[in-house]
Amino acid sequence: FFSRLSFAPLAWLAHLFSSSSAPMALNISTELGVIRLRLRPDAAPETASYISRAAAAGAYDGTSFYRSDFVIQCGLHGSGKPNPLGVDLKVNETALHQRVSNARGTAAVAHWDVPDCGNTEFFINLGANSHLDAAYGGYCVFACVEDDASFAVVDQIAEAVKQRSKVAIQSITVS
C-alpha cells in the first residue's frame, strides 16, 4: 500500500516555500528601456546566484552593453570598475544541471577559451547560437528574456550598439 503513495505534492509544496526567497529575475534598466531576464537556477544555480549577487552589489550600474554581433554583451570589461564580489566563477555549469541551449533570448556567461574562467561578463543571444553549447567547454545559460517588451529592447540595443558602440546600463536590480 505505501509503495503506491505519491509524496510529489508535498515535495512541490516544500520547493515552493524553500525557493520563494531566491532571486527569480534581473531587471536591466538601460537608456533604451528595461530588459527582464528570468533566472534559470535549474540550469545554473551557482551562476544565477553569482550574477544576481554582482547585480545586487551594483557591479553593472553605470556600465554598458558594448558588443553587438550575434550577441549583446555587458559586464565590467573596459569600465574600470572592480568586481565587487572579489572572485570569479569557479565552475562552468554548462553540463552539470539541466542543459539549456544558447537560443535567441538566453543569457550566458562570457569566458575566454578556458571553460572555468567566467566572471561578471554576460551576453544575451540575438539568435540561435547552438555552437556555443559546446565551444570551449560551453557557455553556461543562466537566464532568459522574459517577455516581448524585453525582446524589443534587446533588439534596439543590438542596433544602437552597431551605430554608436555602446548603450548605457543605469542599473540591474534583482527581484
Side-chain angles (χ1 to χ4, degrees), residues 14-103:
H15 172 73
L16 178 67
F17 287 108
S18 68
S19 64
S20 63
S21 64
M24 295 307 296
L26 299 177
N27 303 293
I28 307 171
S29 297
T30 76
E31 62 183 281
L32 297 178
V34 176
I35 301 169
R36 185 164 168 85
L37 293 180
R38 182 175 45 87
L39 294 171
R40 294 290 311 263
D42 58 323
E46 288 182 48
T47 306
S49 173
Y50 180 89
I51 297 296
S52 295
R53 286 183 291 122
Y60 302 97
D61 299 357
T63 63
S64 62
F65 281 100
Y66 60 84
R67 175 181 181 186
S68 175
D69 42 20
F70 58 98
V71 301
I72 57 172
Q73 186 168 329
C74 68
L76 299 181
H77 174 77
S79 71
K81 292 178 75 169
N83 181 342
L85 302 180
V87 296
D88 288 343
L89 279 163
K90 301 286 187 223
V91 63
N92 181 338
E93 296 180 281
T94 299
L96 297 180
H97 307 286
Q98 180 178 335
R99 187 179 271 271
V100 178
S101 184
N102 279 273

Side-chain angles (χ1 to χ4, degrees), residues 61-171:
D61 299 357
T63 63
S64 62
F65 281 100
Y66 60 84
R67 175 181 181 186
S68 175
D69 42 20
F70 58 98
V71 301
I72 57 172
Q73 186 168 329
C74 68
L76 299 181
H77 174 77
S79 71
K81 292 178 75 169
N83 181 342
L85 302 180
V87 296
D88 288 343
L89 279 163
K90 301 286 187 223
V91 63
N92 181 338
E93 296 180 281
T94 299
L96 297 180
H97 307 286
Q98 180 178 335
R99 187 179 271 271
V100 178
S101 184
N102 279 273
R104 173 169 164 73
T106 56
V109 171
H111 61 74
W112 300 103
D113 56 359
V114 179
D116 295 329
C117 70
N119 55 36
T120 59
E121 294 293 309
F122 71 87
F123 57 84
I124 300 172
N125 287 289
L126 297 174
N129 292 314
S130 60
H131 66 282
L132 298 176
D133 297 345
Y136 305 113
Y139 289 83
C140 182
V141 172
F142 69 91
C144 57
V145 173
E146 192 167 82
D147 54 44
D148 290 341
S150 295
F151 269 111
V153 175
V154 166
D155 293 335
Q156 289 174 24
I157 290 171
E159 287 305 311
V161 169
K162 288 177 187 174
Q163 301 292 322
R164 59 182 198 223
S165 79
K166 65 181 180 176
V167 169
I169 296 172
Q170 282 105 18
S171 66

